[in-house]
Amino acid sequence: MINRVVLVGRLTRDVELRYTTSGAAVGTFSLAVNRQFANANGERETDFINAVIWRKSAENFANFTSKGSLVAVEGRLQTRNYENQQGQRVYVTEVVVDNFSLLESRAESEQRRAQSGSANNNFGGGQQGGNQGGFNAAPAQNPFGAPASNGNVFGGASTPAQSSNDPFGGGQEVDISDDDLPF
């Protein structure tokens, strides 16, 4: 049987980090993920998916993310149930996260946090600006901090005007001998 889930979206709130009685860290959060198609009104709808992450990964995830962070998570879908205080059976479906990736640079994250104090986050697209700055827009910088060029999220070839701190961006040929290679 296969049970794998891969999601890319933005955190709807800060990760809620708790500890079990045995001391294991557990983080819970919700991820806003845009659908790939538009509804009848031409707006993209958003799914809000609950997730849980455990142990050291939970602590790291909580330390390096905040509300609005663009992340990718990988895990498995799990359904559990419990009886609430009113005696009703409650069913919960969530993603149990095995692995995660941060998809925005520290600078972008800090800029978003500074702006979030004065502006509302737009997780759903639609009337407040569509998909501009939404989940499917390419970030201004790649995840490794170097400026992206020509809309290429992963950097690619750049011109000298775009990246003065890139040692390979000057358009000059790089001379490498076989002795310089690690293999």
Side-chain angles (χ1 to χ4, degrees), residues 33-40 43-48 123-125 135:
V33 180
N34 271 358
R35 294 184 181 173
Q36 292 296 317
F37 52 88
N39 63 16
E43 300 170 345
R44 287 188 181 225
E45 294 181 4
T46 302
D47 293 307
F48 298 92
F123 288 110
F135 314 122

Side-chain angles (χ1 to χ4, degrees), residues 2-8 31 33 49-51 72-78 93-100:
I2 298 174
N3 181 358
R4 295 307 299 163
V5 175
V6 178
L7 300 170
V8 175
L31 202 60
V33 180
I49 301 168
N50 294 324
V73 297
E74 179 184 0
R76 61 184 167 83
L77 200 57
Q78 174 180 286
T93 301
E94 59 198 357
V95 175
V96 179
V97 176
D98 297 331
N99 195 10
F100 68 89

Side-chain angles (χ1 to χ4, degrees), residues 31-174:
L31 202 60
V33 180
N34 271 358
R35 294 184 181 173
Q36 292 296 317
F37 52 88
N39 63 16
N41 298 328
E43 300 170 345
R44 287 188 181 225
E45 294 181 4
T46 302
D47 293 307
F48 298 92
I49 301 168
N50 294 324
V52 63
I53 187 168
W54 289 88
R55 297 177 186 77
K56 187 65 176 175
S57 293
E59 292 174 336
N60 288 334
F61 192 71
N63 287 335
F64 292 108
T65 62
S66 63
K67 177 180 177 180
S69 294
L70 182 63
V71 298
V73 297
E74 179 184 0
R76 61 184 167 83
L77 200 57
Q78 174 180 286
T79 302
R80 59 184 172 86
N81 63 71
Y82 63 92
E83 194 171 301
N84 66 11
Q85 294 175 345
Q86 292 78 26
Q88 299 169 323
R89 180 74 48 200
V90 178
Y91 292 89
V92 178
T93 301
E94 59 198 357
V95 175
V96 179
V97 176
D98 297 331
N99 195 10
F100 68 89
S101 295
L102 307 177
L103 299 181
E104 62 186 358
S105 69
R106 181 179 296 194
E108 288 171 319
S109 179
E110 290 172 359
Q111 180 183 10
R112 182 185 27 75
R113 278 187 223 142
Q115 291 175 350
S116 68
S118 61
N120 292 332
N121 286 333
N122 178 18
F123 288 110
Q127 297 175 343
Q128 295 182 348
N131 196 31
Q132 295 174 348
F135 314 122
N136 295 324
Q141 292 185 345
N142 73 33
F144 306 107
S149 62
N150 302 330
N152 183 356
V153 177
F154 298 104
S158 63
T159 63
Q162 286 177 317
S163 179
S164 61
N165 62 350
D166 183 3
F168 302 105
Q172 300 174 2
E173 198 171 298
V174 178

